[in-house]
Amino acid sequence: MQKFKLGKIKLLPAKELVAAVLRKAILSRQLAEGQEITLEGIASMVGVSSMPVREAFQILAADGLIKVRPNKGAVVLGINEQTIREHYEIRALLESEAVAKASRPGTDISRIAEIHYAAEKALAANNSAEYSDLNQAFHMEIWNTAGNEKMKMLLSNMWNGLSMGQNVTEEEYATLSIQEHQGILQALEQHNEELARCRMRDHIIRSMENMLTRYIDDPAV
């Protein structure tokens, strides 16, 4: 494992972090269809003011995950297998192109590498909270390095954190994820655009398959 001084990592702005927390809860069925959520309740749960929660509600409403009720918070809408597939297929397309851009010769990928090695260290120390942040930072640094602000904005609005499936521990998921990140980093270091594109797509589609384990065996969907 390489030695380095990472410094402060960049994470998503508050509204997108809140949206990511709620999106993950909806996709993983911790928040059920028809369940009502309020600005005050979510703000208290996440530890932010009501403003980023209100903005997060707008992001999720545009994504078809909730319906905002004026002065009454929001209600969670129905999610099914098609919803999950569409979400991850779009992420796969965007993230694959982002990593291909980041792998072009002459691109500085040192920050991506630093974050990856910090994530390895966090995982070895069984620090799941730090690993989750570094997982997000790894993807974000690829978006930053790609240099396409529109793509970065779209991906930020779609982030949902670790895509945990049924009967999988966070440690097991993180171990598989970090191995895939290592393969992506190797493609970046080789400046191999096609390999980077393929490995990122496989990474996102595998995440989709993990999340789908919560849906495909359920007769209600």
Side-chain angles (χ1 to χ4, degrees):
M1 190 177 297
Q2 295 187 12
K3 294 182 178 180
F4 58 90
K5 185 176 180 180
L6 178 63
K8 187 175 180 180
I9 62 171
K10 294 181 181 179
L11 297 176
L12 292 169
K15 65 178 180 180
E16 279 137 0
L17 280 175
V18 175
V21 168
L22 292 174
R23 182 179 290 106
K24 182 177 181 179
I26 293 170
L27 296 182
S28 62
R29 293 179 156 179
Q30 294 172 327
L31 287 174
E33 179 179 356
Q35 188 168 341
E36 294 186 359
I37 52 179
T38 65
L39 290 173
E40 295 78 10
I42 298 302
S44 176
M45 180 186 77
V46 182
V48 298
S49 68
S50 61
M51 179 58 72
V53 179
R54 183 177 288 107
E55 293 172 329
F57 279 9
Q58 296 301 322
I59 292 172
L60 295 174
D63 210 16
L65 296 178
I66 65 172
K67 181 178 180 181
V68 176
R69 294 177 171 176
N71 303 318
K72 294 184 179 180
V75 61
V76 177
L77 298 179
I79 300 297
N80 55 33
E81 182 179 345
Q82 181 178 348
T83 307
I84 298 295
R85 289 190 182 279
E86 289 176 353
H87 173 78
Y88 283 94
E89 285 169 0
I90 293 170
R91 267 195 65 189
L93 286 169
L94 291 172
E95 294 223 47
S96 295
E97 289 310 306
V99 79
K101 287 179 176 293
S103 66
R104 291 173 178 171
T107 305
D108 182 6
I109 62 165
S110 59
R111 183 66 177 171
I112 300 173
E114 289 172 356
I115 291 169
H116 172 73
Y117 294 121
E120 285 187 334
K121 184 177 180 181
L123 184 58
N126 294 316
N127 190 333
S128 59
E130 184 179 2
Y131 177 79
S132 181
D133 284 348
L134 288 163
N135 173 68
Q136 180 190 139
F138 179 82
H139 284 266
M140 282 189 66
E141 196 57 42
I142 290 173
W143 310 342
N144 288 331
T145 305
N148 186 312
E149 289 300 314
K150 181 69 173 179
M151 184 181 288
K152 177 183 173 181
M153 182 192 73
L154 290 170
L155 286 166
S156 296
N157 284 340
M158 296 187 72
W159 183 252
N160 55 268
L162 299 178
S163 302
M164 300 286 293
Q166 297 236 64
N167 304 318
V168 176
T169 68
E170 192 162 318
E171 181 180 1
E172 289 171 339
Y173 185 93
T175 298
L176 177 57
S177 177
I178 200 74
Q179 291 171 354
E180 293 171 348
H181 284 188
Q182 178 65 49
I184 292 167
L185 178 59
Q186 288 173 348
L188 285 163
E189 291 172 336
Q190 295 167 15
H191 301 294
N192 188 327
E193 293 181 36
E194 191 53 40
L195 182 60
R197 183 184 284 112
C198 289
R199 286 183 174 174
M200 179 62 81
R201 183 185 183 281
D202 288 347
H203 179 55
I204 302 300
I205 295 302
R206 193 270 308 157
S207 296
M208 178 188 77
E209 297 297 341
N210 277 154
M211 188 63 79
L212 279 172
T213 62
R214 298 177 180 272
Y215 291 80
I216 57 179
D217 296 326
D218 191 333
V221 300

